[in-house]
Amino acid sequence: MTLGPPSSAFRHRHLLGIEGFSPEEITLLLDTAEGHVEPNRQADKKRSLMRGRTIINLFFENSTRTRTSFELAGKRLGADVINMSVSGSSIKKGETMIDTAMTLNAMHPDVLVVRHHESGAVQLLSEKVDCAVINAGDGSHEHPTQALLDALTIRRRKGRLQGLVVAICGDILHSRVARSNIHLLSIMGARVRVVAPRTLLPAEIERLGVEVFHDMRQGLKDADIVMMLRLQTERMHGSFVPSTREYFHFFGLDYEKLAAAKPDALIMHPGPMNRGVEIDSEVADDIDRSVIRQQVEMGVAVRMACLELLARDLGNGPPLP
Ligand code: CP
């Protein structure tokens, strides 16, 4: 198995977001993840890179993919992994997020993997604990490991990120996946477009260096990658689209709209999908074009890489800033 270069190339105590990462750091994370893909397909998947380490998954928001893949990633690296369910915790008795984190911190975990519905909450928590913290998604701010697994999926299929035209379509306003992907793809030299109704775009989105479209056929024209996002209704206060039926008509991905993209354009979706709302079922299941299942597979390899690179510095003196 190929492992990445020494951890001196990855000088972060926590993994809180993609913004501010260098192309070299992203490449190191992707190369390290690549080294985990084939071993993960073997019968014996267990390694000992994190033997003796403790990881706690602390999810204040629901998750299928991220929580399961962090658990698998930690276990495949030989760590002990605890899943904390907020619904069964003392948060339900009124304990705050910070008190909960400091309570867990007192048990000397090495890594806390945290998802929270408030933007910035994971950063705040990271300032209160001694261990490494990984952001598993905070509000509409960032979801760094999703962007990394998307990048690995694209790189494996297209051989590069540089110069690709990537159209990110749908609810950009509420999407942490969109933000992390915009940062990562821009840092790596891709051309990023966002395609959405005006109501689902943040003000001054152009400042992030993206091209803005309000029409799917124009936004998808000659795109290499079509990345669909669901309507994040749990973050919406009020009505942002007239109806899901109308939304699908104008912004849902079907074969007719996809025809504007390159013939070999890949279809991506971070999940969970709402079939018939942002994506047609047949398109989502198209085994030649859709890489949605591969994204899930790459999620385990990427999370192993993140855990491995952060864990390499644990116990080697004071943590890096
Ligand atoms: N893509 C993603 O974050 O999925 P989950 O909410 O299931 O973790």
Side-chain angles (χ1 to χ4, degrees), residues 15 39 66 101 107 109 115 127 133 154 175 182 189 195 204 213 223 230 238 240 253 263 265 267 284 307 309:
L15 177 48
T66 312
M107 299 178 202
R115 170 171 285 189
E127 291 162 9
V133 175
I154 297 170
S175 176
I182 290 169
V195 190
E204 304 191 1
F213 294 85
R230 83 185 159 89
F240 285 77
L253 186 67
I267 301 156
L307 289 167
L309 289 175

mmCIF file of all heavy atoms in Angstrom, residues 15 39 66 101 107 109 115 127 133 154 175 182 189 195 204 213 223 230 238 240 253 263 265 267 284 307 309:
data_model
loop_
_atom_site.group_PDB
_atom_site.id
_atom_site.type_symbol
_atom_site.label_atom_id
_atom_site.label_comp_id
_atom_site.label_asym_id
_atom_site.label_seq_id
_atom_site.Cartn_x
_atom_site.Cartn_y
_atom_site.Cartn_z
ATOM 1 N N LEU A 15 -9.085 19.646 10.874
ATOM 2 C CA LEU A 15 -9.563 19.769 9.491
ATOM 3 C C LEU A 15 -10.959 20.388 9.565
ATOM 4 O O LEU A 15 -11.948 19.691 9.777
ATOM 5 C CB LEU A 15 -9.596 18.394 8.814
ATOM 6 C CG LEU A 15 -10.144 18.337 7.385
ATOM 7 C CD1 LEU A 15 -9.536 19.397 6.487
ATOM 8 C CD2 LEU A 15 -9.912 16.972 6.792
ATOM 9 N N PRO A 39 -6.855 -1.374 -1.127
ATOM 10 C CA PRO A 39 -6.978 -2.189 0.096
ATOM 11 C C PRO A 39 -8.413 -2.281 0.607
ATOM 12 O O PRO A 39 -8.829 -3.310 1.147
ATOM 13 C CB PRO A 39 -6.067 -1.454 1.098
ATOM 14 C CG PRO A 39 -5.058 -0.763 0.246
ATOM 15 C CD PRO A 39 -5.779 -0.366 -1.014
ATOM 16 N N THR A 66 -21.741 10.113 5.898
ATOM 17 C CA THR A 66 -20.556 10.670 6.565
ATOM 18 C C THR A 66 -20.258 9.908 7.857
ATOM 19 O O THR A 66 -19.112 9.527 8.113
ATOM 20 C CB THR A 66 -20.763 12.176 6.851
ATOM 21 O OG1 THR A 66 -21.255 12.792 5.657
ATOM 22 C CG2 THR A 66 -19.480 12.844 7.266
ATOM 23 N N ALA A 101 -18.661 18.552 24.513
ATOM 24 C CA ALA A 101 -17.347 18.339 23.896
ATOM 25 C C ALA A 101 -16.259 18.259 24.958
ATOM 26 O O ALA A 101 -15.355 17.412 24.878
ATOM 27 C CB ALA A 101 -17.055 19.467 22.917
ATOM 28 N N MET A 107 -12.007 12.438 28.378
ATOM 29 C CA MET A 107 -11.755 10.993 28.251
ATOM 30 C C MET A 107 -10.590 10.719 27.292
ATOM 31 O O MET A 107 -10.347 9.573 26.933
ATOM 32 C CB MET A 107 -13.023 10.290 27.757
ATOM 33 C CG MET A 107 -14.195 10.460 28.717
ATOM 34 S SD MET A 107 -15.687 9.659 28.078
ATOM 35 C CE MET A 107 -16.954 10.532 28.983
ATOM 36 N N PRO A 109 -9.904 11.423 23.931
ATOM 37 C CA PRO A 109 -9.969 10.923 22.546
ATOM 38 C C PRO A 109 -8.831 11.562 21.752
ATOM 39 O O PRO A 109 -8.275 12.589 22.167
ATOM 40 C CB PRO A 109 -11.330 11.439 22.043
ATOM 41 C CG PRO A 109 -11.556 12.698 22.825
ATOM 42 C CD PRO A 109 -10.914 12.478 24.182
ATOM 43 N N ARG A 115 -20.396 16.940 13.457
ATOM 44 C CA ARG A 115 -21.358 17.583 12.550
ATOM 45 C C ARG A 115 -22.311 18.412 13.395
ATOM 46 O O ARG A 115 -22.788 17.944 14.439
ATOM 47 C CB ARG A 115 -22.140 16.537 11.748
ATOM 48 C CG ARG A 115 -23.302 17.165 10.974
ATOM 49 C CD ARG A 115 -23.953 16.209 10.013
ATOM 50 N NE ARG A 115 -23.119 16.010 8.829
ATOM 51 C CZ ARG A 115 -23.518 15.365 7.741
ATOM 52 N NH1 ARG A 115 -24.736 14.847 7.685
ATOM 53 N NH2 ARG A 115 -22.721 15.219 6.711
ATOM 54 N N GLU A 127 -11.738 24.963 19.453
ATOM 55 C CA GLU A 127 -10.926 25.866 20.279
ATOM 56 C C GLU A 127 -10.979 25.479 21.760
ATOM 57 O O GLU A 127 -10.243 26.020 22.577
ATOM 58 C CB GLU A 127 -11.423 27.315 20.100
ATOM 59 C CG GLU A 127 -11.108 27.848 18.701
ATOM 60 C CD GLU A 127 -11.928 29.076 18.325
ATOM 61 O OE1 GLU A 127 -12.635 29.628 19.203
ATOM 62 O OE2 GLU A 127 -11.872 29.465 17.143
ATOM 63 N N VAL A 133 -9.839 17.899 15.622
ATOM 64 C CA VAL A 133 -11.271 17.960 15.292
ATOM 65 C C VAL A 133 -11.431 17.958 13.779
ATOM 66 O O VAL A 133 -10.732 18.688 13.068
ATOM 67 C CB VAL A 133 -11.931 19.229 15.891
ATOM 68 C CG1 VAL A 133 -13.389 19.357 15.438
ATOM 69 C CG2 VAL A 133 -11.856 19.206 17.413
ATOM 70 N N ILE A 154 -13.655 12.543 -9.153
ATOM 71 C CA ILE A 154 -13.431 13.194 -10.452
ATOM 72 C C ILE A 154 -12.036 12.844 -10.976
ATOM 73 O O ILE A 154 -11.864 12.479 -12.140
ATOM 74 C CB ILE A 154 -13.576 14.734 -10.324
ATOM 75 C CG1 ILE A 154 -14.999 15.125 -9.920
ATOM 76 C CG2 ILE A 154 -13.185 15.416 -11.639
ATOM 77 C CD1 ILE A 154 -15.168 16.603 -9.551
ATOM 78 N N SER A 175 -26.009 25.291 0.936
ATOM 79 C CA SER A 175 -25.178 24.090 0.782
ATOM 80 C C SER A 175 -23.726 24.262 1.217
ATOM 81 O O SER A 175 -22.950 24.978 0.593
ATOM 82 C CB SER A 175 -25.206 23.627 -0.679
ATOM 83 O OG SER A 175 -24.333 22.535 -0.838
ATOM 84 N N ILE A 182 -16.556 24.592 -4.179
ATOM 85 C CA ILE A 182 -16.108 25.805 -4.883
ATOM 86 C C ILE A 182 -14.669 26.120 -4.469
ATOM 87 O O ILE A 182 -13.806 26.384 -5.311
ATOM 88 C CB ILE A 182 -17.055 26.995 -4.592
ATOM 89 C CG1 ILE A 182 -18.405 26.768 -5.285
ATOM 90 C CG2 ILE A 182 -16.429 28.315 -5.047
ATOM 91 C CD1 ILE A 182 -19.510 27.738 -4.848
ATOM 92 N N GLY A 189 -7.644 24.574 -9.827
ATOM 93 C CA GLY A 189 -7.593 25.054 -11.214
ATOM 94 C C GLY A 189 -8.744 24.636 -12.097
ATOM 95 O O GLY A 189 -8.653 24.753 -13.331
ATOM 96 N N VAL A 195 -25.368 27.004 -10.929
ATOM 97 C CA VAL A 195 -26.607 27.118 -11.694
ATOM 98 C C VAL A 195 -27.763 26.999 -10.706
ATOM 99 O O VAL A 195 -27.921 25.948 -10.064
ATOM 100 C CB VAL A 195 -26.713 26.004 -12.757
ATOM 101 C CG1 VAL A 195 -27.884 26.288 -13.698
ATOM 102 C CG2 VAL A 195 -25.414 25.826 -13.530
ATOM 103 N N GLU A 204 -23.575 37.994 -3.683
ATOM 104 C CA GLU A 204 -22.155 38.167 -4.039
ATOM 105 C C GLU A 204 -21.404 36.851 -4.176
ATOM 106 O O GLU A 204 -20.223 36.765 -3.858
ATOM 107 C CB GLU A 204 -21.463 39.084 -3.037
ATOM 108 C CG GLU A 204 -22.149 40.434 -2.927
ATOM 109 C CD GLU A 204 -21.347 41.456 -2.136
ATOM 110 O OE1 GLU A 204 -20.259 41.140 -1.684
ATOM 111 O OE2 GLU A 204 -21.858 42.565 -1.992
ATOM 112 N N PHE A 213 -25.154 31.142 -13.397
ATOM 113 C CA PHE A 213 -26.178 30.901 -14.424
ATOM 114 C C PHE A 213 -27.527 30.667 -13.735
ATOM 115 O O PHE A 213 -27.575 30.097 -12.646
ATOM 116 C CB PHE A 213 -25.833 29.661 -15.260
ATOM 117 C CG PHE A 213 -24.598 29.824 -16.096
ATOM 118 C CD1 PHE A 213 -23.340 29.574 -15.554
ATOM 119 C CD2 PHE A 213 -24.679 30.234 -17.418
ATOM 120 C CE1 PHE A 213 -22.197 29.733 -16.322
ATOM 121 C CE2 PHE A 213 -23.531 30.397 -18.188
ATOM 122 C CZ PHE A 213 -22.290 30.142 -17.641
ATOM 123 N N ALA A 223 -20.114 21.294 -20.097
ATOM 124 C CA ALA A 223 -19.560 20.975 -18.772
ATOM 125 C C ALA A 223 -18.979 19.561 -18.770
ATOM 126 O O ALA A 223 -19.483 18.652 -19.437
ATOM 127 C CB ALA A 223 -20.640 21.093 -17.698
ATOM 128 N N ARG A 230 -29.412 18.783 -3.446
ATOM 129 C CA ARG A 230 -30.834 18.738 -3.071
ATOM 130 C C ARG A 230 -31.260 20.072 -2.456
ATOM 131 O O ARG A 230 -30.412 20.859 -2.010
ATOM 132 C CB ARG A 230 -31.089 17.580 -2.104
ATOM 133 C CG ARG A 230 -30.792 17.858 -0.703
ATOM 134 C CD ARG A 230 -30.942 16.652 0.213
ATOM 135 N NE ARG A 230 -30.172 16.894 1.416
ATOM 136 C CZ ARG A 230 -30.654 17.507 2.487
ATOM 137 N NH1 ARG A 230 -31.913 17.885 2.537
ATOM 138 N NH2 ARG A 230 -29.890 17.726 3.533
ATOM 139 N N GLY A 238 -39.155 29.691 5.313
ATOM 140 C CA GLY A 238 -39.978 30.305 4.277
ATOM 141 C C GLY A 238 -39.887 29.518 2.987
ATOM 142 O O GLY A 238 -39.275 28.455 2.930
ATOM 143 N N PHE A 240 -38.738 29.037 -0.893
ATOM 144 C CA PHE A 240 -37.689 29.455 -1.814
ATOM 145 C C PHE A 240 -37.982 29.066 -3.259
ATOM 146 O O PHE A 240 -37.376 29.593 -4.171
ATOM 147 C CB PHE A 240 -36.341 28.862 -1.374
ATOM 148 C CG PHE A 240 -35.759 29.552 -0.178
ATOM 149 C CD1 PHE A 240 -36.245 29.305 1.099
ATOM 150 C CD2 PHE A 240 -34.725 30.461 -0.325
ATOM 151 C CE1 PHE A 240 -35.717 29.956 2.205
ATOM 152 C CE2 PHE A 240 -34.193 31.124 0.776
ATOM 153 C CZ PHE A 240 -34.701 30.865 2.042
ATOM 154 N N LEU A 253 -32.337 17.718 -13.050
ATOM 155 C CA LEU A 253 -31.501 17.157 -14.118
ATOM 156 C C LEU A 253 -32.211 15.981 -14.765
ATOM 157 O O LEU A 253 -32.510 14.978 -14.104
ATOM 158 C CB LEU A 253 -30.146 16.705 -13.556
ATOM 159 C CG LEU A 253 -29.157 16.231 -14.616
ATOM 160 C CD1 LEU A 253 -28.709 17.390 -15.518
ATOM 161 C CD2 LEU A 253 -27.937 15.573 -13.984
ATOM 162 N N PRO A 263 -20.594 15.027 -23.975
ATOM 163 C CA PRO A 263 -21.174 13.674 -24.045
ATOM 164 C C PRO A 263 -20.643 12.744 -22.949
ATOM 165 O O PRO A 263 -21.335 11.816 -22.539
ATOM 166 C CB PRO A 263 -20.739 13.177 -25.432
ATOM 167 C CG PRO A 263 -20.382 14.411 -26.196
ATOM 168 C CD PRO A 263 -19.948 15.455 -25.216
ATOM 169 N N ALA A 265 -19.778 13.811 -19.900
ATOM 170 C CA ALA A 265 -19.879 14.504 -18.597
ATOM 171 C C ALA A 265 -20.329 13.529 -17.512
ATOM 172 O O ALA A 265 -21.177 12.664 -17.746
ATOM 173 C CB ALA A 265 -20.871 15.663 -18.693
ATOM 174 N N ILE A 267 -22.139 12.655 -13.876
ATOM 175 C CA ILE A 267 -23.220 13.138 -13.010
ATOM 176 C C ILE A 267 -22.849 12.807 -11.566
ATOM 177 O O ILE A 267 -22.531 11.650 -11.252
ATOM 178 C CB ILE A 267 -24.551 12.434 -13.365
ATOM 179 C CG1 ILE A 267 -24.910 12.703 -14.828
ATOM 180 C CG2 ILE A 267 -25.663 12.875 -12.424
ATOM 181 C CD1 ILE A 267 -25.804 11.648 -15.414
ATOM 182 N N ALA A 284 -29.975 9.501 -12.459
ATOM 183 C CA ALA A 284 -29.221 9.169 -11.238
ATOM 184 C C ALA A 284 -28.662 7.751 -11.291
ATOM 185 O O ALA A 284 -27.571 7.482 -10.788
ATOM 186 C CB ALA A 284 -30.124 9.333 -10.019
ATOM 187 N N LEU A 307 -8.002 11.090 8.647
ATOM 188 C CA LEU A 307 -7.686 10.594 9.990
ATOM 189 C C LEU A 307 -6.206 10.269 10.096
ATOM 190 O O LEU A 307 -5.528 10.635 11.065
ATOM 191 C CB LEU A 307 -8.519 9.337 10.297
ATOM 192 C CG LEU A 307 -10.019 9.572 10.528
ATOM 193 C CD1 LEU A 307 -10.777 8.247 10.506
ATOM 194 C CD2 LEU A 307 -10.253 10.293 11.857
ATOM 195 N N LEU A 309 -3.581 11.379 8.332
ATOM 196 C CA LEU A 309 -2.668 12.526 8.298
ATOM 197 C C LEU A 309 -2.750 13.351 9.577
ATOM 198 O O LEU A 309 -1.732 13.834 10.068
ATOM 199 C CB LEU A 309 -2.956 13.397 7.067
ATOM 200 C CG LEU A 309 -2.536 12.762 5.738
ATOM 201 C CD1 LEU A 309 -2.964 13.627 4.563
ATOM 202 C CD2 LEU A 309 -1.028 12.524 5.678
#
